[in-house]
């Protein structure tokens, strides 16, 4: 019996030693690269267990994260926290990826690239089956939103201050998202509604078809209202 006790103790100590000395960093890095992630470094913390990536980019997303941490929260469930554009996105997800719940805070759009300025916050959920988006809803809030180099019809603006803009979304079919937008700012009142046909493999190629109503609140066009349609992929939108 004593020999059996020594054997069990040896096996336990061996398992503990392997856990603390095994090169998990290289293993996790290898698996992450296989799944299309690029990053400058990865660190695997043992107690409590946590994986931390730095300067991490997903091939299909237009934004890279300065820091991304993932920690287990139960069977096939993980908590994540990412820092990007001077703000953060946190939440929980299942793996293989099925349901994602997120909350974004203080993302500075001017630091994310493009023609948008202001801050983005919000929360919501997304549900996937395989490679298809099948459920989810949420609300995104833009504050002090400003759009640069905006053109529609015969009119163009170097900068259009839209102020506070709320975007509500709901998945109403496979890869089909209904959008409702309202906004009020120094330069314009904004209303829009339509659908986004999502391409999960390449979000920039998702197709938008939305009706937009704008009422000017300043300048020579003050009081004038305009209605137009935004149609096309997110990387190549047309104003009709």
């Amino acid at each position: 019996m004593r020999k059996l006790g020594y054997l069990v103790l040896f096996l336990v100590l061996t398992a503990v030693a392997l856990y603390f000395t095994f090169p998990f960093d290289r293993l996790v890095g290898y698996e992450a690269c296989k799944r299309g992630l690029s990053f400058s470094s990865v660190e695997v913390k043992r107690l409590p267990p946590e994986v931390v990536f730095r300067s991490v980019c997903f091939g299909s997303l237009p934004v890279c994260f300065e820091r991304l941490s993932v920690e287990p929260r139960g069977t096939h469930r993980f908590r994540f926290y990412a820092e990007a554009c001077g703000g953060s996105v946190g939440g929980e997800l299942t793996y293989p990826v099925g349901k994602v719940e997120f909350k974004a805070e203080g993302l500075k759009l001017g630091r994310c690239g493009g023609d948008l300025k202001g801050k983005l916050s919000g929360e919501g959920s997304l549900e996937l089956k395989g490679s298809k988006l099948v459920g989810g809803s949420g609300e995104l809030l833009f504050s002090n939103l400003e759009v640069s180099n905006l053109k529609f019809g015969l009119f163009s603006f170097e900068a259009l201050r839209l102020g506070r803009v709320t975007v509500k979304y709901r998945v109403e079919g496979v890869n089909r998202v209904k959008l409702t937008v309202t906004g009020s700012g120094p330069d314009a009142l904004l209303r829009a509604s339509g659908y986004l046909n999502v391409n999960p493999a390449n979000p920039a190629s998702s197709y938008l078809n939305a009706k937009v109503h704008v009422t000017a609140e300043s300048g020579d066009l003050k009081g004038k209202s305009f209605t137009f349609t935004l149609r096309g992929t997110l990387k190549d939108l047309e104003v009709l």
Side-chain angles (χ1 to χ4, degrees), residues 140-145 161-168 180-193 212-217:
L140 305 177
L141 175 63
F142 296 85
S143 58
N144 299 318
L145 181 62
R161 297 170 297 168
L162 295 174
R164 181 183 177 91
V165 176
T166 301
V167 179
K168 296 182 179 180
T180 304
V181 182
T182 57
S184 176
D187 291 338
L189 301 178
L190 171 68
R191 289 187 295 112
S193 61
V212 181
H213 305 273
V214 177
T215 300
E217 290 288 288

Side-chain angles (χ1 to χ4, degrees), residues 5 12-13 15 18 38 40 60 78 83 86 96 103 110 116 122 143 159 167 176 189 211 229 237:
V12 170
L13 292 176
L18 286 173
S38 61
S40 64
S60 60
F78 297 84
E83 298 172 358
K103 183 175 183 178
L116 299 179
S143 58
V167 179
R176 184 173 170 85
L189 301 178
K211 185 73 74 175
T229 299
L237 281 174

Side-chain angles (χ1 to χ4, degrees), residues 100-162:
V100 180
E101 298 171 339
F102 69 88
K103 183 175 183 178
E105 296 182 313
L107 298 176
K108 297 179 178 63
L109 300 177
R111 293 177 57 177
C112 296
D115 295 325
L116 299 179
K117 295 181 180 179
K119 286 187 178 181
L120 170 62
S121 300
E123 57 186 301
S125 64
L126 298 169
E127 186 175 351
L128 296 98
K129 285 187 178 180
S131 60
K132 297 178 180 179
L133 179 64
V134 297
S137 63
E139 182 174 298
L140 305 177
L141 175 63
F142 296 85
S143 58
N144 299 318
L145 181 62
E146 182 177 310
V147 184
S148 302
N149 304 315
L150 181 66
K151 296 180 180 181
F152 59 91
L154 299 175
F155 305 100
S156 63
F157 299 88
E158 291 186 4
L160 185 64
R161 297 170 297 168
L162 295 174

Side-chain angles (χ1 to χ4, degrees), residues 2 67 97 121 132 162 171 199 209 211 219 230 238:
R2 180 177 297 178
R67 183 181 184 275
V97 178
S121 300
K132 297 178 180 179
L162 295 174
V171 180
N199 182 344
N209 187 359
K211 185 73 74 175
L230 281 178
E238 292 183 346

